[in-house]
Every structure is written in C-alpha cells, then in structure tokens.
Amino acid sequence: MYRDVERRSKRLTKALYPLVCHFLVCLLLSILMVKTLDGYLALAKKDQARRQPDGHYVFRVSDITTLISTGLVLVKLFSSAWIGIALWSCAFTLFETDGLDLVNFSRMMSFGVPPLRWSGAGGAVAVVLLLCILPQHFIAPLLSGSVNWNSGIAMGKPMSTMSNTEKAQSYMWYYYLSEQGSRKYYITNTVGFADKAWVNLNLEMANKRVGATCRHVVPNHNFPVDSLLLGATIPCIDIHDISWATEPAPQSIIDLVQDSSPLSVVGEKFLNNFQEGQAALFDPQPLAWDSDKLIRPKTATADYPAASLFSGKKTVLLYRGRGASSGECNVFATGVPSLFGNAKPGDTVFQPSGSNRCYMYGTVSFTAGVIKPPKSRYISSQVVGANVIAKGTHPLREEDTVASFEQSIWVSEALSLMSDVMTVIAITNSSSLPTWNNLDNYTGALIRIAYLAAWDMLHGSFEQTDTTTLQALPAAQRLRASVSPERVFGWFAVNLLLTASGIVIIWVRSKRCERGIILDAPAAALLTDAGGVVDMYPDMTRLSIVADEDKKVGNIYLNSVADQDGRPKFRLELHKGVL
C-alpha cells in the first residue's frame, strides 16, 4: 500500500542500490585479493622508489594496507546504508505481525539485537534476518588479516656481464704445464675458489645433503644475492654412488698409501700428513700425469686440452686417523673417536704394515662435465649456482634445471688435480665440511667442492678466449604478499548473508506486509500516527530514553485503519486488528 506519488520501480531501485553496490564491492575486493594481491611483490625499503626504471609503479605495504582499508570503508558505507533499511523493515514487520515492545525495539535499533521472544512466521523471519545482519559489524578484521608478508625478490632489467675474468691469460697455461712450481701455485689458488663458492656451507645444508648445487665463480660485478645469470656455463658433478670396500685392501692400494706421489701432479706424498679427512680420487690403475704433451716447445706455447666428459667410476682413498696401536682402528691415538666417529660394523679400515694410520678405500660412481642452465642464481656477488633435477621433476626455483651434462676442455685436467686439491681443502678445512657420522656425505662433498674449484681455477686462470657476454637480471629485495583464500572467501560468505537478507526483506515486505517496503524509515516513523499509544500513556510524548519500566506498555502493533474520508492509513495501537 503506497502513496500515489510513490512508484514501485523507483522504490525497488532505491532499495536495491546499496545492496547491489555492497555485493559488487565485496566481489571485486575478494577477486583482487586472491587473484591480484596474492604473490604481489611490494617495496621492502623506504629508500626504494615507487617508480621503477622500467616505468612500472610498485606499491609499498602501507599503500596496499591503505587500499584494503579503503575497500572496507566502501563496504561499510553500503552495508550501513542497507542495514539501516533492514533494521527499520524488521521493526515494521514485527509491528505488523507479532507486535514489538519499546525495550526490544530500542535494543534492536541501537545494536541490531533481535528480540528474545516472538511468535508467528513474520517474527521468525525478522529474527533470522537480524542474525544475518549482526556479524557484518565484526568481520572486517577477517579480510584485513588475510594478508601475510614474506621476503621476496623482484628481477630488474637485464644487464651485461662477462663470462670470464680479465685476469685469465692463455700464455700462463704453458708455464702451468712446464713448471712444477707453477702447478703448485695454481693448486694453492684453487682453495680460494673453493672458499668463495662454499664459505656459507653450514648455513646451506638441507636434508643432510652437503653442497647440493653446482657452482661457478664469476667476475664480481656486485650483483645482489638472488640475482639471475642467463646462459652461463657452470661446472657440475653428479655423484651417483659411494661404496666402501668390504674386502681387505689390495697391495696396489697399500703401496699408494705409503707413497702417494703417483697420484699428485706435483709429486707430493700428501697422504703422509696427519690431517684426518684427507682423501684422493684416482683411476683404479693410476696413470702418470701427461698433460705436458700439449706443450709446443718451439714456440713456448701450449694447446688447450680436447673437450671431454667423464661418466664412470674412480677409486677413493680416505685417511680416517691414527689408531691407538697397530691393528687398532676403532680407538684412536687421542683416546677418542676420529672426526668421523667410531668405525661402524662392516667398515673395512686397514693399516699399512708397521703403521698405526687407518685408511678406507672404495669406489665412486659419478658424472663430471659442465651444464648450461637457462638461469643460474647468484649465491654471492661472485658465485652463481644451479641445481640439476631429473627430467619430469617440477622445478622449485628458477635455477633448477634439467640441463644435460656437456663436454668441456677443463674436465680431464680438473679430474687430474682432484687428489692434490682434495688434500689442500681437507687440510685447510676451508669449507668447514661436517664429519661426525657423516662419512659418505663428507666424501661426496669434498669431491664435489674439489672438482668445481679445480675447473673454476683452470677456466679463470687460462681460458682467455672466453669473451662471452652474458645477461644478468639484478635482484631487488621485496615483500611478497601471501593471501589466505580461506579468510577471504569466509569474509565474502558472511557478506553474502547481507545480500540474502536484502532479498528476503524485499520479498517479505512486498508480499506479506500491507505497508510494503519502507526505505525512508525514520521519516515514515516520524509521521506514523501513534495516537493509539500516547492516548493511553500521555507521558510517552516526553520520552527521551526507553527505561525497563516501559515494558508495562506491552507490545505495540501497526494497524491499518481508515481516516475520516475512508482512506487507509497506519496507526500504532496496543492491540492487533483493523478498526
């Protein structure tokens, strides 16, 4: 029942406008949070400019917090507009159906609390709708708290860098081959390459696998950690298996323990040192080092080696420590276990005749060469690394690659240097390799570090012909947004209750209540005839606050009555019915 000047279409438009806007804002905010904000890389430091060199604009965390808060303010604006309509509609529904006393009316309009008692379908619907509206006041923290910020990295514009250092001199390759003293110098330098590449080894250990990545020392162009280098050639070794011998050592192995100079490119008897953890890697039938055949005496130059790739087995020999006496290798001379702990059952530890030195030997199966991953990550400003993963394995990081091993001119020479380099690294302990009850991992890590360092030394010292220009993507520190979809969708679901409540209110008011949908409820309430109540309780005209004593008035009803001209109007009465 509407006035003549009121049109139904205009009423529905005005009623639905805040409800539709509320729904659209909630939907848009939820989609943006889950689809756009999740994974967003915001600026991490106050000195980082919002406008990036490539022209893109990047927000700070405070900017995004402000935008989310602005969205919540819009949601609150439209929800408040509808909640006001909904509360008055529920009140008028109760007045027209079950009646409503002043105390419950005041509580409902002030706090949105439904009446504790009701009867009839109209009252039940009103109570349910109020229960749908009530949570809207408390759910904003659910959305604002759905975003976590974790450290992240953003890549900048490509920058050029050299594949090899300018210090590489091809003529020094001749002196390396021709002079034993020169080889000793370069073997000592190899420790520096190992130290650069693996200085943080203890911090990088994961799942007890030490040195899991293939690494390469590159020219220092001060690229930040986590930057990416594109298309670099990286030395790599994949150790398939380490198996320790279970049978007594053959005489050929015992002879090498007593005189290890055939395993050294500089004739050193390195296994005569007393450093536990020394090791050597060599062919089952050691051959004399013969790389000096590459020398051209007439011109005092030398050719580079032929490119090669190794895949097979070599023998490993490891010094565990000195036994307490000859024939005793479980209790050591110090009275305590060695760096590797007590020998385990099944370990074949042997001693040369008349010596208390304890050794183990076995076989290592591995592949050594180089890889060319599309991307490798800067571990430090001078070191890049890549992980070789099996084909079909999902890469976890950008430097994970299924690149196959390729040949390199330095593979054979790097393997020739293994025994000397492994000894120097073990003695200096430059990479702080963990040893206790970690024999296999220690041995594998020592082999890996020695090979990568030897290849880097040879490449960085002699391959002057490598003038390749590479592209690097500098990393910038960011904060990565991690959005909880459960919280976002939970917030959206609660907001849908408001949308559902609006649909039900419009239907109930238009179908079950004579007065229809009431939009400007305060004005309608002001102009509603309250004579049926104030005639019985005149002091109500002076009401400024509803007191508990006002319960004596009882339920108030909104009745449809006829005026003097017979036209229908609405009047508040203390009883239900039509006069």
Side-chain angles (χ1 to χ4, degrees):
M1 186 182 299
Y2 305 111
R3 296 185 300 151
D4 294 337
V5 296
E6 297 175 3
R7 293 186 178 182
R8 183 175 180 83
S9 60
K10 183 178 180 180
R11 295 170 60 84
L12 286 176
T13 301
K14 189 173 181 180
L16 293 174
Y17 177 77
L19 199 61
V20 171
C21 290
H22 172 267
F23 172 78
L24 293 177
V25 172
C26 290
L27 180 63
L28 179 62
L29 195 55
S30 299
I31 293 175
L32 290 176
M33 293 279 287
V34 174
K35 296 296 184 180
T36 303
L37 181 57
D38 190 33
Y40 184 82
L41 294 169
L43 298 178
K45 299 179 180 179
K46 63 180 181 180
D47 57 346
Q48 293 175 320
R50 289 183 173 89
R51 183 68 66 182
Q52 299 298 296
D54 58 4
H56 286 86
Y57 190 90
V58 181
F59 290 108
R60 301 186 190 278
V61 173
S62 58
D63 299 329
I64 295 173
T65 302
T66 301
L67 291 174
I68 294 175
S69 300
T70 302
L72 289 172
V73 168
L74 290 175
V75 171
K76 183 68 174 178
L77 175 66
F78 292 118
S79 65
S80 297
W82 173 252
I83 288 174
I85 297 172
L87 289 176
W88 279 103
S89 295
C90 288
F92 277 105
T93 298
L94 288 171
F95 280 134
E96 288 191 60
T97 55
D98 300 341
L100 185 64
D101 64 71
L102 290 174
V103 174
N104 278 316
F105 172 74
S106 175
R107 186 185 298 122
M108 185 174 69
M109 300 307 298
S110 299
F111 305 106
V113 178
L116 301 179
R117 295 180 182 179
W118 69 89
S119 60
V125 171
V127 170
V128 171
L129 292 176
L130 288 173
L131 291 177
C132 292
I133 292 171
L134 187 60
Q136 308 302 320
H137 302 289
F138 311 103
I139 61 172
L142 190 62
L143 185 72
S144 59
S146 65
V147 185
N148 293 314
W149 294 97
N150 306 307
S151 60
I153 296 295
M155 298 302 164
K157 296 180 65 176
M159 299 180 66
S160 297
T161 181
M162 298 302 299
S163 174
N164 201 4
T165 175
E166 296 178 353
K167 295 181 180 180
Q169 301 293 333
S170 58
Y171 73 90
M172 293 302 297
W173 174 237
Y174 165 79
Y175 294 101
Y176 167 88
L177 295 175
S178 60
E179 299 177 1
Q180 187 179 93
S182 179
R183 289 195 295 278
K184 286 185 178 181
Y185 168 79
Y186 284 109
I187 289 172
T188 303
N189 281 355
T190 304
V191 179
F193 286 88
D195 185 61
K196 289 177 182 178
W198 302 95
V199 65
N200 292 324
L201 184 60
N202 285 333
L203 299 178
E204 298 162 6
M205 288 188 302
N207 300 322
K208 295 185 178 180
R209 187 180 180 191
V210 181
T213 60
C214 298
R215 301 187 178 188
H216 176 41
V217 177
V218 295
N220 187 359
H221 288 168
N222 294 319
F223 289 116
V225 173
D226 285 323
S227 299
L228 295 178
L229 184 62
L230 309 181
T233 298
I234 298 178
C236 195
I237 183 169
D238 186 9
I239 299 174
H240 310 304
D241 178 66
I242 299 177
S243 57
W244 299 102
T246 56
E247 68 279 357
Q251 189 60 44
S252 59
I253 295 295
I254 296 176
D255 291 343
L256 288 174
V257 168
Q258 294 174 333
D259 182 7
S260 55
S261 59
L263 304 179
S264 172
V265 301
V266 291
E268 289 284 346
K269 296 182 179 180
F270 51 83
L271 288 178
N272 292 340
N273 294 314
F274 289 93
Q275 177 62 45
E276 298 176 10
Q278 285 181 252
L281 186 73
F282 53 92
D283 290 314
Q285 297 296 327
L287 300 175
W289 177 78
D290 62 350
S291 295
D292 53 359
K293 64 185 179 183
L294 299 171
I295 295 176
R296 295 187 176 187
K298 293 182 179 181
T299 60
T301 59
D303 296 329
Y304 285 133
S308 62
L309 171 70
F310 179 86
S311 183
K313 296 181 179 180
K314 287 183 180 288
T315 299
V316 62
L317 181 60
L318 177 75
Y319 174 48
R320 286 188 63 116
R322 289 185 298 159
S325 61
S326 179
E328 177 59 74
C329 278
N330 191 45
V331 179
F332 289 83
T334 57
V336 297
S338 76
L339 291 175
F340 302 98
N342 288 323
K344 298 178 182 178
D347 286 350
T348 300
V349 184
F350 68 92
Q351 294 175 320
S353 177
S355 171
N356 66 344
R357 294 169 180 258
C358 300
Y359 296 88
M360 292 180 67
Y361 84 99
T363 301
V364 182
S365 175
F366 65 94
T367 300
V370 297
I371 59 173
K372 297 180 180 179
K375 297 178 181 178
S376 51
R377 188 176 297 272
Y378 276 85
I379 299 169
S380 70
S381 61
Q382 284 187 269
V383 179
V384 296
N387 300 315
V388 177
I389 59 176
K391 188 175 182 179
T393 304
H394 180 70
L396 299 178
R397 301 192 69 182
E398 290 184 271
E399 65 269 27
D400 292 346
T401 178
V402 293
S404 59
F405 282 78
E406 299 183 17
Q407 296 181 343
S408 167
I409 62 175
W410 302 119
V411 172
S412 177
E413 188 64 22
L415 292 177
S416 298
L417 294 173
M418 288 296 286
S419 296
D420 291 297
V421 175
M422 289 168 66
T423 296
V424 176
I425 292 176
I427 292 175
T428 59
N429 197 26
S430 61
S431 297
S432 303
L433 294 172
T435 58
W436 186 259
N437 289 332
N438 196 43
L439 183 62
D440 287 357
N441 283 334
Y442 170 85
T443 306
L446 184 60
I447 293 172
R448 178 187 301 277
I449 293 172
Y451 171 74
L452 301 184
W455 192 97
D456 273 337
M457 182 277 293
L458 294 167
H459 172 264
S461 300
F462 308 124
E463 196 171 345
Q464 187 177 358
T465 55
D466 183 5
T467 57
T468 307
T469 300
L470 302 176
Q471 295 295 309
L473 302 178
Q477 188 175 355
R478 293 284 190 268
L479 290 174
R480 182 184 296 274
S482 176
V483 178
S484 170
E486 295 82 5
R487 289 195 177 196
V488 174
F489 292 137
W491 173 83
F492 183 68
V494 174
N495 277 283
L496 283 181
L497 294 177
L498 191 66
T499 305
S501 71
I503 296 173
V504 174
I505 284 176
I506 292 174
W507 183 82
V508 170
R509 293 297 304 172
S510 61
K511 300 297 184 182
R512 304 295 297 272
C513 298
E514 291 188 60
R515 195 158 185 180
I517 303 171
I518 301 176
L519 301 178
D520 295 315
L526 179 65
L527 299 175
T528 297
D529 184 1
V533 178
V534 298
D535 287 346
M536 296 293 296
Y537 298 94
D539 58 339
M540 287 295 176
T541 59
R542 301 192 303 275
L543 185 148
S544 60
I545 185 173
V546 176
D548 289 341
E549 289 77 6
D550 292 325
K551 288 183 179 180
K552 65 183 180 180
V553 176
N555 282 354
I556 300 174
Y557 299 90
L558 183 65
N559 295 323
S560 176
V561 300
D563 61 12
Q564 295 178 352
D565 299 326
R567 291 178 299 182
K569 69 174 185 176
F570 291 94
R571 178 183 173 91
L572 295 175
E573 305 277 357
L574 296 177
H575 63 276
K576 185 175 182 180
V578 180
L579 295 180

